[in-house]
Amino acid sequence: MRAGTLVPLEVFTRMDPSLLRNAGEQTTRNLSIFAPVSPPAESIRNLSILVFAITGFIFLVVEGVLLYCIVRSRRRAAGETKEPPQVYGSKPIEIAWTAAPALIVFILTLVTARSLWEINIEPPSRPRASDQTLLVTVVGRQWWWEYTYESYNGKKLGFTTANELHIPASEPGVARPVYLSLKSADVCHSFWVPRLAGKTDLIPGHPNSLWLQTEQTGLFVGQCAEFCGTQHANMLIRVVVDPPPVFEQWLDHEASPALDNPGVVVGKASFLAQTCVNCHRVRGTSAQGTYAPDLTHLMSRRTLAAGMVPNTPDELRRWVDDPQQVKPGCLMPAFGLSGTDRDLILRYLMTLR
Ligand code: CUA
């Protein structure tokens, strides 16, 4: 079954529709749980179809009997007011309508338990060399996603990035499972990329975990699925599944400190002199804030503001000028920078590739 329902994401959010396109990937706008590409999402799809089938059958039977009764017992012409035979306390009927629902609930409980068993796979307690496993800690924040890459293939990593999660594709015979440890820095959020895995909450003080694995490369989009404040609808998720060599290249690049570009020494000094550094981090500089997105490789991301707008010079300028115009209520205020300072800082930020 392939319903392939398309939910126009831009209807709900201010997201630029161009951000839903990705080279060679036509199905990016697809947010349907009926088009899974990862084992947990497949389990959920199979369970949903079974539940829809059973409950659909019950619906048809109940509505059928109802319609039959309405037609059968409708008001007739005068003189034809005979009531049907009235039955009281029939044992076989009592047994039938107790046993049948109990059996149905029992079956649904069993298949649900099996799906939970398939989906709830705990991350390995310690990464082993060449296990092809990626471990990432995801922290939900108002209103963006922080990703700390813990380890890949047994190698310890420990760098942090934001909003765009890159994972390696599996290949026939080589599984590359991805385990996300889900935490929250403030309120409850929920991580949901429908084609990759089920909805899993990020709860303050209670880490959850999520497992996914796919052979299909490309961009998969999702959405925070738990109301978490004014910009909840703009807390978008982008998961990029890369072929393994591309992923490893990305990983090496992302793990390295910021490139020092001699052309923007003044811009860098201006950035470091501002309060930006209290919240943002640029690895390799004195900016070591951890409250806001890590900017070390800012320009390697396609979007700003958790997937809302494309990461272009114009949008970046709008953002630095006044984030409240782009994402009202977000925790970064407008700093009222002079035009010169702003341009210097922008020029510096644009070298953070
Ligand atoms: Cu985060 Cu809704």
Side-chain angles (χ1 to χ4, degrees), residues 131-151:
D131 61 358
Q132 313 286 347
T133 298
L134 174 66
L135 296 172
V136 180
T137 299
V138 180
V139 181
R141 293 170 176 272
Q142 284 174 319
W143 290 278
W144 58 283
W145 304 93
E146 181 184 280
Y147 299 118
T148 301
Y149 281 69
E150 305 292 354
S151 71

mmCIF file of all heavy atoms in Angstrom, residues 131-151:
data_model
loop_
_atom_site.group_PDB
_atom_site.id
_atom_site.type_symbol
_atom_site.label_atom_id
_atom_site.label_comp_id
_atom_site.label_asym_id
_atom_site.label_seq_id
_atom_site.Cartn_x
_atom_site.Cartn_y
_atom_site.Cartn_z
ATOM 1 N N ASP A 131 31.660 -1.093 14.106
ATOM 2 C CA ASP A 131 30.282 -1.580 14.259
ATOM 3 C C ASP A 131 29.324 -0.762 13.377
ATOM 4 O O ASP A 131 28.133 -1.025 13.343
ATOM 5 C CB ASP A 131 29.834 -1.534 15.725
ATOM 6 C CG ASP A 131 29.857 -0.124 16.307
ATOM 7 O OD1 ASP A 131 30.266 0.818 15.576
ATOM 8 O OD2 ASP A 131 29.462 0.059 17.473
ATOM 9 N N GLN A 132 29.877 0.231 12.646
ATOM 10 C CA GLN A 132 29.094 1.044 11.690
ATOM 11 C C GLN A 132 27.939 1.778 12.363
ATOM 12 O O GLN A 132 26.938 2.074 11.728
ATOM 13 C CB GLN A 132 28.527 0.187 10.551
ATOM 14 C CG GLN A 132 29.495 -0.763 9.919
ATOM 15 C CD GLN A 132 30.502 -0.082 9.013
ATOM 16 O OE1 GLN A 132 30.339 1.081 8.661
ATOM 17 N NE2 GLN A 132 31.558 -0.778 8.660
ATOM 18 N N THR A 133 28.086 2.020 13.668
ATOM 19 C CA THR A 133 26.978 2.615 14.410
ATOM 20 C C THR A 133 27.239 4.097 14.662
ATOM 21 O O THR A 133 28.352 4.478 15.013
ATOM 22 C CB THR A 133 26.823 1.870 15.755
ATOM 23 O OG1 THR A 133 26.520 0.518 15.466
ATOM 24 C CG2 THR A 133 25.724 2.469 16.599
ATOM 25 N N LEU A 134 26.213 4.895 14.462
ATOM 26 C CA LEU A 134 26.331 6.332 14.744
ATOM 27 C C LEU A 134 25.504 6.661 15.984
ATOM 28 O O LEU A 134 24.331 6.287 16.075
ATOM 29 C CB LEU A 134 25.814 7.148 13.550
ATOM 30 C CG LEU A 134 25.752 8.670 13.756
ATOM 31 C CD1 LEU A 134 27.158 9.263 13.910
ATOM 32 C CD2 LEU A 134 25.031 9.348 12.596
ATOM 33 N N LEU A 135 26.136 7.322 16.942
ATOM 34 C CA LEU A 135 25.427 7.741 18.154
ATOM 35 C C LEU A 135 25.386 9.265 18.194
ATOM 36 O O LEU A 135 26.428 9.919 18.093
ATOM 37 C CB LEU A 135 26.144 7.228 19.411
ATOM 38 C CG LEU A 135 26.200 5.702 19.595
ATOM 39 C CD1 LEU A 135 27.098 5.345 20.769
ATOM 40 C CD2 LEU A 135 24.809 5.146 19.830
ATOM 41 N N VAL A 136 24.191 9.809 18.326
ATOM 42 C CA VAL A 136 24.038 11.267 18.366
ATOM 43 C C VAL A 136 23.131 11.628 19.533
ATOM 44 O O VAL A 136 22.108 10.972 19.765
ATOM 45 C CB VAL A 136 23.401 11.807 17.061
ATOM 46 C CG1 VAL A 136 23.246 13.326 17.117
ATOM 47 C CG2 VAL A 136 24.215 11.417 15.842
ATOM 48 N N THR A 137 23.519 12.652 20.294
ATOM 49 C CA THR A 137 22.634 13.159 21.337
ATOM 50 C C THR A 137 21.875 14.352 20.768
ATOM 51 O O THR A 137 22.481 15.283 20.228
ATOM 52 C CB THR A 137 23.434 13.597 22.579
ATOM 53 O OG1 THR A 137 24.114 12.456 23.082
ATOM 54 C CG2 THR A 137 22.517 14.152 23.655
ATOM 55 N N VAL A 138 20.556 14.289 20.842
ATOM 56 C CA VAL A 138 19.709 15.360 20.316
ATOM 57 C C VAL A 138 19.139 16.124 21.515
ATOM 58 O O VAL A 138 18.556 15.517 22.406
ATOM 59 C CB VAL A 138 18.542 14.773 19.501
ATOM 60 C CG1 VAL A 138 17.665 15.884 18.943
ATOM 61 C CG2 VAL A 138 19.068 13.886 18.381
ATOM 62 N N VAL A 139 19.351 17.434 21.531
ATOM 63 C CA VAL A 139 18.740 18.233 22.595
ATOM 64 C C VAL A 139 17.723 19.168 21.953
ATOM 65 O O VAL A 139 18.043 19.948 21.061
ATOM 66 C CB VAL A 139 19.793 19.047 23.381
ATOM 67 C CG1 VAL A 139 19.131 19.849 24.492
ATOM 68 C CG2 VAL A 139 20.854 18.126 23.958
ATOM 69 N N GLY A 140 16.480 19.053 22.393
ATOM 70 C CA GLY A 140 15.440 19.942 21.903
ATOM 71 C C GLY A 140 15.501 21.245 22.683
ATOM 72 O O GLY A 140 15.632 21.236 23.905
ATOM 73 N N ARG A 141 15.462 22.363 21.960
ATOM 74 C CA ARG A 141 15.496 23.665 22.610
ATOM 75 C C ARG A 141 14.454 24.555 21.952
ATOM 76 O O ARG A 141 14.098 24.344 20.802
ATOM 77 C CB ARG A 141 16.879 24.311 22.442
ATOM 78 C CG ARG A 141 17.980 23.581 23.192
ATOM 79 C CD ARG A 141 19.327 24.133 22.783
ATOM 80 N NE ARG A 141 20.424 23.538 23.545
ATOM 81 C CZ ARG A 141 20.858 24.008 24.714
ATOM 82 N NH1 ARG A 141 20.311 25.067 25.262
ATOM 83 N NH2 ARG A 141 21.865 23.418 25.326
ATOM 84 N N GLN A 142 13.989 25.549 22.668
ATOM 85 C CA GLN A 142 13.032 26.488 22.087
ATOM 86 C C GLN A 142 13.804 27.395 21.119
ATOM 87 O O GLN A 142 14.614 28.204 21.586
ATOM 88 C CB GLN A 142 12.367 27.309 23.170
ATOM 89 C CG GLN A 142 11.304 26.473 23.913
ATOM 90 C CD GLN A 142 10.724 27.221 25.092
ATOM 91 O OE1 GLN A 142 11.456 27.894 25.820
ATOM 92 N NE2 GLN A 142 9.439 27.113 25.305
ATOM 93 N N TRP A 143 13.688 27.311 19.800
ATOM 94 C CA TRP A 143 12.958 26.357 19.010
ATOM 95 C C TRP A 143 13.879 25.874 17.919
ATOM 96 O O TRP A 143 13.779 26.294 16.782
ATOM 97 C CB TRP A 143 11.698 27.025 18.441
ATOM 98 C CG TRP A 143 10.695 27.307 19.540
ATOM 99 C CD1 TRP A 143 9.801 26.403 20.061
ATOM 100 C CD2 TRP A 143 10.476 28.506 20.270
ATOM 101 N NE1 TRP A 143 9.047 26.974 21.075
ATOM 102 C CE2 TRP A 143 9.449 28.275 21.222
ATOM 103 C CE3 TRP A 143 11.079 29.765 20.249
ATOM 104 C CZ2 TRP A 143 9.007 29.248 22.109
ATOM 105 C CZ3 TRP A 143 10.631 30.732 21.128
ATOM 106 C CH2 TRP A 143 9.594 30.456 22.047
ATOM 107 N N TRP A 144 14.795 25.024 18.330
ATOM 108 C CA TRP A 144 15.761 24.479 17.384
ATOM 109 C C TRP A 144 16.314 23.191 17.962
ATOM 110 O O TRP A 144 16.021 22.834 19.103
ATOM 111 C CB TRP A 144 16.880 25.491 17.087
ATOM 112 C CG TRP A 144 17.640 25.958 18.291
ATOM 113 C CD1 TRP A 144 17.236 26.876 19.225
ATOM 114 C CD2 TRP A 144 18.931 25.507 18.739
ATOM 115 N NE1 TRP A 144 18.180 27.025 20.205
ATOM 116 C CE2 TRP A 144 19.237 26.199 19.934
ATOM 117 C CE3 TRP A 144 19.862 24.599 18.242
ATOM 118 C CZ2 TRP A 144 20.433 25.998 20.630
ATOM 119 C CZ3 TRP A 144 21.048 24.400 18.936
ATOM 120 C CH2 TRP A 144 21.322 25.110 20.118
ATOM 121 N N TRP A 145 17.112 22.499 17.146
ATOM 122 C CA TRP A 145 17.646 21.192 17.537
ATOM 123 C C TRP A 145 19.160 21.247 17.647
ATOM 124 O O TRP A 145 19.830 21.741 16.751
ATOM 125 C CB TRP A 145 17.262 20.125 16.502
ATOM 126 C CG TRP A 145 15.797 20.045 16.272
ATOM 127 C CD1 TRP A 145 15.087 20.708 15.314
ATOM 128 C CD2 TRP A 145 14.839 19.280 17.013
ATOM 129 N NE1 TRP A 145 13.752 20.392 15.417
ATOM 130 C CE2 TRP A 145 13.574 19.517 16.445
ATOM 131 C CE3 TRP A 145 14.941 18.400 18.086
ATOM 132 C CZ2 TRP A 145 12.405 18.920 16.920
ATOM 133 C CZ3 TRP A 145 13.791 17.802 18.569
ATOM 134 C CH2 TRP A 145 12.538 18.069 17.988
ATOM 135 N N GLU A 146 19.669 20.712 18.752
ATOM 136 C CA GLU A 146 21.115 20.644 18.917
ATOM 137 C C GLU A 146 21.543 19.187 18.755
ATOM 138 O O GLU A 146 20.963 18.301 19.382
ATOM 139 C CB GLU A 146 21.481 21.137 20.319
ATOM 140 C CG GLU A 146 22.965 21.126 20.604
ATOM 141 C CD GLU A 146 23.240 21.531 22.054
ATOM 142 O OE1 GLU A 146 23.221 22.740 22.343
ATOM 143 O OE2 GLU A 146 23.445 20.621 22.874
ATOM 144 N N TYR A 147 22.536 18.951 17.885
ATOM 145 C CA TYR A 147 23.005 17.579 17.650
ATOM 146 C C TYR A 147 24.454 17.453 18.088
ATOM 147 O O TYR A 147 25.322 18.148 17.560
ATOM 148 C CB TYR A 147 22.909 17.230 16.157
ATOM 149 C CG TYR A 147 21.496 17.286 15.612
ATOM 150 C CD1 TYR A 147 21.149 18.174 14.600
ATOM 151 C CD2 TYR A 147 20.510 16.437 16.122
ATOM 152 C CE1 TYR A 147 19.853 18.217 14.101
ATOM 153 C CE2 TYR A 147 19.210 16.480 15.628
ATOM 154 C CZ TYR A 147 18.891 17.376 14.620
ATOM 155 O OH TYR A 147 17.618 17.417 14.135
ATOM 156 N N THR A 148 24.717 16.583 19.054
ATOM 157 C CA THR A 148 26.090 16.303 19.443
ATOM 158 C C THR A 148 26.455 14.921 18.936
ATOM 159 O O THR A 148 25.838 13.923 19.330
ATOM 160 C CB THR A 148 26.260 16.397 20.973
ATOM 161 O OG1 THR A 148 25.880 17.712 21.379
ATOM 162 C CG2 THR A 148 27.708 16.152 21.376
ATOM 163 N N TYR A 149 27.414 14.877 18.031
ATOM 164 C CA TYR A 149 27.859 13.602 17.470
ATOM 165 C C TYR A 149 28.795 12.938 18.466
ATOM 166 O O TYR A 149 29.887 13.432 18.721
ATOM 167 C CB TYR A 149 28.550 13.837 16.113
ATOM 168 C CG TYR A 149 27.543 14.034 15.013
ATOM 169 C CD1 TYR A 149 26.758 15.184 14.969
ATOM 170 C CD2 TYR A 149 27.326 13.052 14.044
ATOM 171 C CE1 TYR A 149 25.790 15.350 13.995
ATOM 172 C CE2 TYR A 149 26.365 13.212 13.058
ATOM 173 C CZ TYR A 149 25.603 14.363 13.039
ATOM 174 O OH TYR A 149 24.647 14.520 12.075
ATOM 175 N N GLU A 150 28.341 11.836 19.078
ATOM 176 C CA GLU A 150 29.117 11.177 20.135
ATOM 177 C C GLU A 150 30.175 10.255 19.536
ATOM 178 O O GLU A 150 31.345 10.343 19.912
ATOM 179 C CB GLU A 150 28.190 10.367 21.055
ATOM 180 C CG GLU A 150 27.033 11.179 21.667
ATOM 181 C CD GLU A 150 27.486 12.223 22.675
ATOM 182 O OE1 GLU A 150 28.688 12.260 23.002
ATOM 183 O OE2 GLU A 150 26.627 13.011 23.129
ATOM 184 N N SER A 151 29.742 9.359 18.631
ATOM 185 C CA SER A 151 30.727 8.434 18.055
ATOM 186 C C SER A 151 30.189 7.846 16.759
ATOM 187 O O SER A 151 28.977 7.793 16.544
ATOM 188 C CB SER A 151 31.047 7.305 19.040
ATOM 189 O OG SER A 151 29.929 6.446 19.147
#
